[in-house]
Each structure stands twice: as structure tokens, then as C-alpha cells.
Amino acid sequence: MWEALALHLEIHAEAEERILYPHLLKRGSAETAEEETDDAIRDHNKIRDAIEAAKGHQAGSDGWWKAVWQARTENSEHLTEEEDEVLPDFRKHADMQLRVDLGAQWLTFYGEHPSGKGLTFHDKDPQRYIQENS
Ligand SMILES: [Fe+2]
């Protein structure tokens, strides 16, 4: 179960980093978008790090539970920030057509990468990511 959930978390973060955050950097308010993106990439890195840490332990061992709990904690904090800060900012400028377009990109991404096929998951440097996607 953990491996399926971990894969879901990795794919979701990658989809956000390819679709949502580049959009925010290009269309959101510059200062807020950069701050929120920097925070999100750092959070995604922490989640990825915890997933990677869990791989080094036997499932059910103390070390595994510690890593899984770390992923859970980081993910819970991150979701709260996205739900309370990032998405409300997005809704301020996102009309229905934009939401449909981004939703189509999201579904296309998932269709092109079933179960993460063809994707590689790795930490990203937040400032470099912002520069490359602004
Ligand atoms: Fe995220």
C-alpha cells in the first residue's frame, strides 16, 4: 500500500511542477507566485526525501515507520499551504476556460504517464526551478 501511495505522491508533485506552478509563475502575482512556488518545491523535496528514506528500510520496521511518518507530516503541512494559500490565489485570476485548459493538461499528463511510466522523480533546486519556469 505504501509503495502505491508513495508513487501517487511523486506523480502528483511532478504534475504540479509541470502544470500548476509554471502557470502561477507566468500568470500569478510575481512576488506571491515566486514565494509560494519556492515553498512548494521545498515541500515536494521533503516529501520525496522521506519517500526515498523509506526505501532504505524494511517495511514495518522502526526506520520505515519514521520515514513514512515524515512523508505524512510533510505532505499534510504542504496540503494545508496549497489549499489555504496557493489555490485561493489561483482562483482569483483563473476563469473557467483556464481551469478547463489546465484540467485537460492534467489529464493528458496522467494519460501519458500511467502509473508514472516514463517519469523520473528527483529533488529540484527551488530558485533554479523558478528561473527556468518564469
Ligand atoms: Fe504540491
Side-chain angles (χ1 to χ4, degrees), residues 18 21 24 65 70 102 115 131:
R18 291 191 189 198
Y21 286 98
L24 289 179
W65 274 113
Q70 186 69 30
L102 292 176
S115 299
Q131 285 178 343

PDB file of all heavy atoms in Angstrom, residues 18 21 24 65 70 102 115 131:
ATOM      1  N   ARG A  18       4.983  20.531 -13.336  1.00  0.00           N
ATOM      2  CA  ARG A  18       4.955  20.712 -14.793  1.00  0.00           C
ATOM      3  C   ARG A  18       3.791  21.584 -15.244  1.00  0.00           C
ATOM      4  O   ARG A  18       3.859  22.199 -16.310  1.00  0.00           O
ATOM      5  CB  ARG A  18       4.866  19.357 -15.494  1.00  0.00           C
ATOM      6  CG  ARG A  18       6.134  18.539 -15.353  1.00  0.00           C
ATOM      7  CD  ARG A  18       6.097  17.365 -16.267  1.00  0.00           C
ATOM      8  NE  ARG A  18       7.204  16.456 -16.005  1.00  0.00           N
ATOM      9  CZ  ARG A  18       7.610  15.542 -16.864  1.00  0.00           C
ATOM     10  NH1 ARG A  18       6.991  15.409 -18.021  1.00  0.00           N
ATOM     11  NH2 ARG A  18       8.615  14.749 -16.564  1.00  0.00           N
ATOM     12  N   TYR A  21       2.540  25.036 -11.129  1.00  0.00           N
ATOM     13  CA  TYR A  21       3.475  26.071 -10.697  1.00  0.00           C
ATOM     14  C   TYR A  21       4.057  26.888 -11.850  1.00  0.00           C
ATOM     15  O   TYR A  21       4.195  28.110 -11.716  1.00  0.00           O
ATOM     16  CB  TYR A  21       4.537  25.487  -9.746  1.00  0.00           C
ATOM     17  CG  TYR A  21       3.911  25.224  -8.395  1.00  0.00           C
ATOM     18  CD1 TYR A  21       3.470  23.959  -8.045  1.00  0.00           C
ATOM     19  CD2 TYR A  21       3.673  26.262  -7.516  1.00  0.00           C
ATOM     20  CE1 TYR A  21       2.825  23.734  -6.841  1.00  0.00           C
ATOM     21  CE2 TYR A  21       3.029  26.058  -6.304  1.00  0.00           C
ATOM     22  CZ  TYR A  21       2.613  24.788  -5.974  1.00  0.00           C
ATOM     23  OH  TYR A  21       1.962  24.586  -4.780  1.00  0.00           O
ATOM     24  N   LEU A  24       1.433  29.449 -12.456  1.00  0.00           N
ATOM     25  CA  LEU A  24       1.406  30.500 -11.434  1.00  0.00           C
ATOM     26  C   LEU A  24       2.553  31.477 -11.628  1.00  0.00           C
ATOM     27  O   LEU A  24       2.384  32.687 -11.480  1.00  0.00           O
ATOM     28  CB  LEU A  24       1.485  29.887 -10.037  1.00  0.00           C
ATOM     29  CG  LEU A  24       0.254  29.136  -9.553  1.00  0.00           C
ATOM     30  CD1 LEU A  24       0.498  28.564  -8.165  1.00  0.00           C
ATOM     31  CD2 LEU A  24      -0.973  30.035  -9.543  1.00  0.00           C
ATOM     32  N   TRP A  65       8.784   3.200   9.465  1.00  0.00           N
ATOM     33  CA  TRP A  65       7.671   3.995  10.018  1.00  0.00           C
ATOM     34  C   TRP A  65       8.079   5.442  10.218  1.00  0.00           C
ATOM     35  O   TRP A  65       7.284   6.355   9.967  1.00  0.00           O
ATOM     36  CB  TRP A  65       7.186   3.398  11.345  1.00  0.00           C
ATOM     37  CG  TRP A  65       6.180   2.312  11.147  1.00  0.00           C
ATOM     38  CD1 TRP A  65       6.346   0.990  11.422  1.00  0.00           C
ATOM     39  CD2 TRP A  65       4.849   2.445  10.617  1.00  0.00           C
ATOM     40  NE1 TRP A  65       5.212   0.296  11.092  1.00  0.00           N
ATOM     41  CE2 TRP A  65       4.271   1.165  10.601  1.00  0.00           C
ATOM     42  CE3 TRP A  65       4.111   3.525  10.147  1.00  0.00           C
ATOM     43  CZ2 TRP A  65       2.982   0.930  10.133  1.00  0.00           C
ATOM     44  CZ3 TRP A  65       2.814   3.299   9.685  1.00  0.00           C
ATOM     45  CH2 TRP A  65       2.274   2.017   9.685  1.00  0.00           C
ATOM     46  N   GLN A  70       7.311  10.798   8.419  1.00  0.00           N
ATOM     47  CA  GLN A  70       7.881  12.069   7.951  1.00  0.00           C
ATOM     48  C   GLN A  70       7.204  12.500   6.647  1.00  0.00           C
ATOM     49  O   GLN A  70       6.856  13.668   6.469  1.00  0.00           O
ATOM     50  CB  GLN A  70       9.400  11.936   7.747  1.00  0.00           C
ATOM     51  CG  GLN A  70      10.093  13.238   7.394  1.00  0.00           C
ATOM     52  CD  GLN A  70      10.105  14.220   8.559  1.00  0.00           C
ATOM     53  OE1 GLN A  70      10.124  13.812   9.726  1.00  0.00           O
ATOM     54  NE2 GLN A  70      10.076  15.502   8.257  1.00  0.00           N
ATOM     55  N   LEU A 102      -6.170  23.854 -17.920  1.00  0.00           N
ATOM     56  CA  LEU A 102      -5.215  23.222 -17.003  1.00  0.00           C
ATOM     57  C   LEU A 102      -5.677  21.815 -16.617  1.00  0.00           C
ATOM     58  O   LEU A 102      -4.860  20.903 -16.489  1.00  0.00           O
ATOM     59  CB  LEU A 102      -5.017  24.089 -15.755  1.00  0.00           C
ATOM     60  CG  LEU A 102      -4.298  25.419 -15.989  1.00  0.00           C
ATOM     61  CD1 LEU A 102      -4.242  26.228 -14.696  1.00  0.00           C
ATOM     62  CD2 LEU A 102      -2.896  25.214 -16.542  1.00  0.00           C
ATOM     63  N   SER A 115       0.674   5.230 -14.148  1.00  0.00           N
ATOM     64  CA  SER A 115       1.479   4.744 -13.007  1.00  0.00           C
ATOM     65  C   SER A 115       2.895   5.341 -13.020  1.00  0.00           C
ATOM     66  O   SER A 115       3.850   4.694 -12.596  1.00  0.00           O
ATOM     67  CB  SER A 115       1.547   3.214 -13.004  1.00  0.00           C
ATOM     68  OG  SER A 115       0.246   2.678 -12.881  1.00  0.00           O
ATOM     69  N   GLN A 131      13.516  30.192 -11.918  1.00  0.00           N
ATOM     70  CA  GLN A 131      14.123  30.859 -13.071  1.00  0.00           C
ATOM     71  C   GLN A 131      13.739  30.170 -14.371  1.00  0.00           C
ATOM     72  O   GLN A 131      13.419  30.821 -15.364  1.00  0.00           O
ATOM     73  CB  GLN A 131      15.653  30.874 -12.938  1.00  0.00           C
ATOM     74  CG  GLN A 131      16.156  31.866 -11.929  1.00  0.00           C
ATOM     75  CD  GLN A 131      17.671  31.827 -11.784  1.00  0.00           C
ATOM     76  OE1 GLN A 131      18.311  30.867 -12.201  1.00  0.00           O
ATOM     77  NE2 GLN A 131      18.235  32.857 -11.197  1.00  0.00           N
TER      78      GLN A 131
END
